[in-house]
Amino acid sequence: MMLKGRATAAATAAYASRFPELPGNFRPVLGLSVSSIGIGTYLGDSDDETDRAYEEAIKASLRGGINLIDTAVNYRFQRSERNIGKAIGELAGKGEIAREQVVVATKGGYITFDGGVPANPRVWFEEHYVKTGIVAPTDLVDGSHCMTPKYIGTMLELSRKNLNLETIDIYYIHNPETQLEAVERREFLARMATIFEFLEGAVADGKIGVYGTATWNGYRAAQTERGWLSLDELMRIAREVGGDAHHFRAIQLPYNLAMPEAVTRSNQIVQGGKATTLAAAKALGVAVSASATLLQGQLSRGLPPIVANAFSGFATDAQRSIQFTRSTPGVDVALVGMKSVDHVRDTLETARRPPATLEELMRLFQHGEAP
């Protein structure tokens, strides 16, 4: 039986109050108290050993002061979602946490297998997606991406089942800019309107809390690039579909020491003026999660000395990288992939210190090592 409920203001505030040793870790996001660091579940082998490691890491995160979990239906071929569902269920069953204290975000858009790569992927795809009517061959972009209400609806139900949650707090359309490889912008926006309309219905049905877009290139690209996403355009679509009370409330994009475009590139238009993605999101009331905080481990070691000087008191470059991302004004949550308890413990050491001040961040700005 699925866990009922969703994250609430009162429950997340009660959760935050349990961690006075983490100053500045919790912040208001979407009317909730959300940790400045979230656990990501993208990387790892599709095997039982990794499943067990993730389940323990998720439980350690929730026990330690991290209450946002990020995933996608295609991460490790649905295994990551299932690991999350099992971990939350176990802790809730023991009374260690309440469902309403946890913010769970997942994504749909990419074709996914079930637990691993089948012996014949093409035949499997035909049997499970085409013959069942879930996907028409003409729906696919780049051989892997589908953005129709039928497909997204199927993935949403699959995610709810995997996560064992009646309501998913944040549901993202995964890399929608992929569609721009195959269709013109006008058609793309029409498809987004259709999807937003479907997602507003999912909110009304209690299946999701809010929705958004999780991107890789879309919000970092220049306006002249084909895959560029306009937050203002998407917001207008949301208003047309859902009115002023629409639920397009969250975005996700990479932001780290090596990928600073969210604060260095004024590629968005808000109220007739140019703005960075972070500034635009703030102006439009959209929550921001930063992915790739450690750039799949590349920013966990070997950083230049100026970074250590800017963020003194930290033991590792990984902690300094996390501190940079979670401290940047406009970033609500820094997502860190963690598939071991040791990694969770190391990450939580960052949360034991307050976020960096603007003065500390400016030390990097002034030396040209970061935005």
Side-chain angles (χ1 to χ4, degrees), residues 305-323:
I306 185 62
V307 178
N309 293 336
F311 302 123
S312 60
F314 292 95
T316 66
D317 278 342
Q319 293 171 2
R320 297 179 189 105
S321 291
I322 296 167
Q323 180 72 338

Side-chain angles (χ1 to χ4, degrees), residues 18-93:
R18 292 164 47 186
F19 302 96
E21 73 278 14
L22 306 180
N25 181 48
F26 294 92
R27 48 190 60 169
V29 183
L30 298 172
L32 309 170
S33 296
V34 182
S35 53
S36 63
I37 301 169
I39 179 171
T41 58
Y42 171 52
L43 296 177
D45 294 329
S46 301
D47 57 27
D48 294 344
E49 182 179 356
T50 307
D51 286 344
R52 289 189 291 270
Y54 259 126
E55 288 164 15
E56 292 306 313
I58 293 162
K59 288 187 281 188
S61 296
L62 292 170
R63 287 167 173 152
I66 293 172
N67 73 333
L68 185 139
I69 308 172
D70 183 82
T71 190
V73 71
N74 62 302
Y75 286 179
R76 301 175 53 250
F77 309 116
Q78 304 182 54
R79 285 177 176 260
S80 287
E81 284 191 333
R82 292 165 184 167
N83 299 154
I84 293 166
K86 186 175 179 180
I88 293 175
E90 287 184 8
L91 293 188

Side-chain angles (χ1 to χ4, degrees), residues 40-323:
T41 58
Y42 171 52
L43 296 177
D45 294 329
S46 301
D47 57 27
D48 294 344
E49 182 179 356
T50 307
D51 286 344
R52 289 189 291 270
Y54 259 126
E55 288 164 15
E56 292 306 313
I58 293 162
K59 288 187 281 188
S61 296
L62 292 170
R63 287 167 173 152
I66 293 172
N67 73 333
L68 185 139
I69 308 172
D70 183 82
T71 190
V73 71
N74 62 302
Y75 286 179
R76 301 175 53 250
F77 309 116
Q78 304 182 54
R79 285 177 176 260
S80 287
E81 284 191 333
R82 292 165 184 167
N83 299 154
I84 293 166
K86 186 175 179 180
I88 293 175
E90 287 184 8
L91 293 188
K94 296 176 181 177
E96 292 190 53
I97 60 159
R99 159 66 186 103
E100 295 80 6
Q101 294 177 326
V102 186
V103 181
V104 178
T106 193
K107 316 173 188 76
Y110 284 105
I111 299 297
T112 183
F113 298 125
D114 187 352
V117 179
N120 191 322
R122 181 178 293 276
V123 170
W124 191 94
F125 173 75
E126 289 282 338
E127 291 290 332
H128 288 80
Y129 289 103
V130 178
K131 290 184 179 180
T132 56
I134 297 170
V135 176
T138 54
D139 293 336
L140 278 186
V141 170
D142 199 31
S144 62
H145 195 270
C146 185
M147 204 174 73
T148 64
K150 178 73 170 179
Y151 181 71
I152 295 299
T154 301
M155 292 302 100
L156 173 57
E157 292 308 312
L158 193 56
S159 290
R160 292 173 68 228
K161 179 181 177 182
N162 289 339
L163 292 163
N164 194 35
L165 298 179
E166 189 175 74
T167 305
I168 295 168
D169 299 291
I170 305 172
Y171 192 81
Y172 295 112
I173 299 301
H174 202 173
N175 290 357
E177 66 267 36
T178 304
Q179 297 281 314
L180 285 165
E181 298 175 13
V183 302
E184 295 300 319
R185 185 165 294 272
R186 180 178 293 183
E187 171 61 20
F188 168 75
L189 294 177
R191 292 183 181 187
M192 290 303 296
T194 301
I195 289 298
F196 280 11
E197 185 175 9
F198 167 79
L199 292 173
E200 288 289 346
V203 173
D205 292 340
K207 295 179 178 180
I208 63 175
V210 301
Y211 62 89
T213 48
T215 70
W216 187 254
N217 291 319
Y219 294 122
R220 298 188 302 116
Q223 290 174 285
T224 54
E225 295 181 58
R226 188 176 180 94
W228 170 70
L229 291 181
S230 165
L231 190 54
D232 184 59
E233 277 185 333
L234 296 178
M235 185 61 70
R236 286 206 306 270
I237 290 171
R239 290 196 185 102
E240 289 170 4
V241 168
D244 290 339
H246 67 83
H247 296 84
F248 175 55
R249 299 287 307 281
I251 65 171
Q252 186 181 123
L253 78 162
Y255 174 72
N256 54 52
L257 284 163
M259 302 170 74
E261 294 88 351
V263 296
T264 60
R265 175 169 281 172
S266 295
N267 61 349
Q268 300 291 323
I269 303 295
V270 178
Q271 298 176 346
K274 287 191 172 183
T276 66
T277 295
L278 292 187
K282 183 176 181 180
L284 295 170
V286 176
V288 177
S289 290
S291 61
T293 295
L294 297 180
L295 197 54
Q296 298 183 10
Q298 296 179 56
L299 299 176
S300 62
R301 64 187 68 84
L303 298 181
I306 185 62
V307 178
N309 293 336
F311 302 123
S312 60
F314 292 95
T316 66
D317 278 342
Q319 293 171 2
R320 297 179 189 105
S321 291
I322 296 167
Q323 180 72 338

